[in-house]
Amino acid sequence: MHPRTASASLWQALARPGYLLSPWPWRAAAYLLTGTLTGAAVLVGLVTWVAVGGVLAIALVGLPLLGAVAFAGLPLAALERRRLRFVVVGTDEVPDPHAEPSAPGLRSWLTTRLRERATWRELGHTLLTAGLLWPAEALLLTVALASPLSVIATPVLLATVGEDRGTKVLKVWTVADWPTAFAAAALGVLLLSAGAYVLGVAAGARAALTRLLLAPPDGDPSARVVELTRSRARLVDAFEAERRRIERDLHDGAQQRLVALTMTLGLARLDAPPGGPLAEQLAKAHEEAGAALAELRELIHGIHPKVLADYGLGAAVADAADRSPVPVDLDLELPGRYPQPVESAAYFVVCEALANVARHSGASRARLRGGHQGGRLVLELEDDGRGGAEPGRGTGLTGLADRVSVLDGRLSLTSPPGGPTLLRVEIPCEPTDNGPMDAEPMDTGPTETGPTGTRPTRTGPTRTEPTDTEATTTG
């Protein structure tokens, strides 16, 4: 349902003849009653909070408490979005207008929230609730619900105190006989019926005001940006999860079957007469199975390398540099682990960039630097090639920039004719330990890799893959 027609369910119920016999009057009363209790609690909490912060501000300890008042609207807004279920049925809740922080950590969260208009709208809603709305709701409940119920209860009160003493109705007039008592009860029923409509209108107006303050306005570009950012993040997470699933299925399924097939063919070669046609066919099939196994391993590594999942970005980037046809000097300082989408994007950007260096640059050497600076993962790849690289020439640079921009990062390229070419990637993030396995900080230092240099030495646990020689049985 559209934000501006949030309470349409209640308004439609008010227009129907059977409104008084439906649950809607009681839902409206419950909505206003919970609003009254919530507003009173918020008022007490805010006054206490500000008082304690003001007293402690003398010693500067209370300044953070006073500053935190700016975020007082966040929990109340979340509660108000849920309370709307009292008056709206069959529709979605008010969408959360807040954007996800660009990086994990308290600092990034505080910065993001302070820059959002929604935070200040929610603070205004909180102050309005604590100062004005809950007293008005309490007054409405007293006039439209409590008073008619007390009038309806006149016969009960008269029976309790007796006819000789009488009972007062609404503290206004005294009823001392039964006909008057039953007439007052009938009047109370009429007043309660009218009060039910008053409560319904008040609850609908209250819900509309809540939606107006807490939901993003119609056509708000910021709301569209927030939703697009969230949907993009969900797509990235789903894409990475699918890559990991495919890699796991291939590794645990097809690769193991190929290993078993290769071993079976090797055993069959032992039983075949040497030098015969059958031995030649088995040898050829054995070689083909081994080649298919090698290609499958390369495919699995390209989908989602296990070294990236197990040991982190530093080890995976060093492995990619080790595989590069062009010698690569490494200078990496990557402490801890990073969010999985960041590690995956950074790794594939490095792989694609190294492939471009090998295919297009004509470079004889490259240098890869990386580290975490100012809340950003920074990677730089420089080569001594011919230069002149442009994103529109089909070298994959546009795809690299798109991959990085999904994570709110940026890619810059400097490639004058004649070289050198410098590719710089920045992705906002903070180190985390959410990886499948804790990794030590990756600090390779200046290290040369590649076919013409010394390969880097990495210590620590390594993942064992079934090799061709393990899968081959020779006679």
Side-chain angles (χ1 to χ4, degrees):
M1 182 173 291
H2 201 276
R4 290 191 181 276
T5 59
S7 53
S9 296
L10 182 55
W11 293 120
Q12 292 172 1
L14 284 168
R16 298 190 184 110
Y19 169 76
L20 293 177
L21 300 179
S22 70
W24 283 108
W26 303 108
R27 295 175 70 98
Y31 180 67
L32 295 175
L33 178 60
T34 55
T36 300
L37 299 177
T38 301
V42 169
L43 177 61
V44 173
L46 281 178
V47 171
T48 304
W49 193 342
V50 173
V52 172
V55 172
L56 295 179
I58 301 176
L60 302 182
V61 180
L63 294 180
L65 288 176
L66 294 176
V69 174
F71 304 102
L74 300 181
L76 180 61
L79 177 62
E80 286 294 321
R81 295 186 185 98
R82 292 186 175 275
R83 279 204 324 116
L84 285 173
R85 296 175 180 176
F86 281 113
V87 292
V88 180
V89 176
T91 58
D92 296 333
E93 298 180 11
V94 175
D96 188 351
H98 295 289
E100 293 293 332
S102 58
L106 180 61
R107 180 180 179 181
S108 177
W109 185 87
L110 292 175
T111 302
T112 303
R113 292 294 173 264
L114 288 175
R115 291 177 178 176
E116 292 177 329
R117 295 181 180 178
T119 301
W120 304 105
R121 288 202 309 266
E122 291 172 354
L123 178 60
H125 169 266
T126 299
L127 297 177
L128 186 62
T129 299
L132 180 62
L133 293 181
W134 81 265
E137 291 170 341
L139 179 61
L140 277 172
L141 287 171
T142 302
V143 173
L145 182 61
S147 296
L149 288 177
S150 66
V151 175
I152 293 175
T154 300
V156 177
L157 296 176
L158 183 62
T160 302
V161 301
E163 294 185 45
D164 53 339
R165 297 180 56 184
T167 181
K168 284 193 174 183
V169 178
L170 298 178
K171 305 296 182 182
V172 176
W173 74 87
T174 301
V175 175
D177 57 85
W178 288 107
T180 306
F182 285 110
L187 177 63
V189 172
L190 295 177
L191 292 177
L192 184 62
S193 301
Y197 281 95
V198 173
L199 292 178
V201 173
R206 175 71 166 86
L209 177 62
T210 299
R211 289 251 180 182
L212 179 65
L213 294 176
L214 300 185
D218 291 345
D220 187 358
S222 62
R224 298 177 62 86
V225 170
V226 167
E227 182 58 30
L228 288 175
T229 301
R230 288 178 176 172
S231 63
R232 185 175 64 176
R234 290 193 296 267
L235 287 175
V236 170
D237 292 341
F239 177 69
E240 292 301 326
E242 186 67 14
R243 290 177 71 102
R244 290 192 296 271
R245 186 192 65 79
I246 294 174
E247 184 271 340
R248 183 175 60 253
D249 291 346
L250 289 176
H251 179 269
D252 297 338
Q255 179 174 271
Q256 301 305 320
R257 290 181 178 273
L258 278 177
V259 170
L261 174 62
T262 305
M263 296 181 65
T264 302
L265 290 173
L267 293 173
R269 290 180 62 185
L270 291 177
D271 297 335
L278 179 59
E280 293 180 1
Q281 293 296 327
L282 287 175
K284 182 177 180 181
H286 195 190
E287 293 176 358
E288 291 294 334
L293 181 60
E295 292 179 1
L296 182 60
R297 286 178 188 149
E298 289 297 324
L299 175 62
I300 293 174
H301 190 275
I303 292 175
H304 192 81
K306 193 66 175 177
V307 65
L308 178 63
D310 288 346
Y311 306 119
L313 180 61
V317 167
D319 180 70
D322 191 29
R323 294 166 175 262
S324 174
V326 178
V328 181
D329 298 329
L330 288 179
D331 185 7
L332 301 176
E333 295 181 2
L334 302 175
R337 299 296 301 268
Y338 298 90
Q340 289 183 353
V342 173
E343 287 191 341
S344 179
Y347 171 77
F348 286 109
V349 165
V350 169
C351 289
E352 182 67 23
L354 289 174
N356 286 340
V357 170
R359 290 196 299 260
H360 306 292
S361 70
S364 60
R365 185 170 297 276
R367 180 179 179 84
L368 179 61
R369 297 182 293 271
H372 189 266
Q373 306 170 3
R376 288 178 173 267
L377 174 66
V378 180
L379 295 172
E380 292 183 348
L381 179 63
E382 184 178 8
D383 66 72
D384 59 358
R386 66 177 65 95
E390 295 181 4
R393 290 188 176 180
T395 57
L397 295 178
T398 302
L400 297 182
D402 293 340
R403 180 182 287 270
V404 172
S405 66
V406 167
L407 300 171
D408 292 328
R410 62 182 180 181
L411 182 147
S412 59
L413 176 68
T414 303
S415 182
T421 297
L422 176 63
L423 181 71
R424 179 181 175 89
V425 177
E426 299 181 19
I427 304 177
C429 66
E430 293 294 338
T432 178
D433 294 328
N434 293 334
M437 178 177 179
D438 291 338
E440 295 295 330
M442 184 67 188
D443 187 358
T444 64
T447 307
E448 179 182 328
T449 67
T452 61
T454 303
R455 298 180 183 273
T457 301
R458 295 188 295 275
T459 61
T462 58
R463 178 174 180 266
T464 302
E465 292 277 2
T467 61
D468 294 340
T469 56
E470 293 173 351
T472 305
T473 305
T474 60

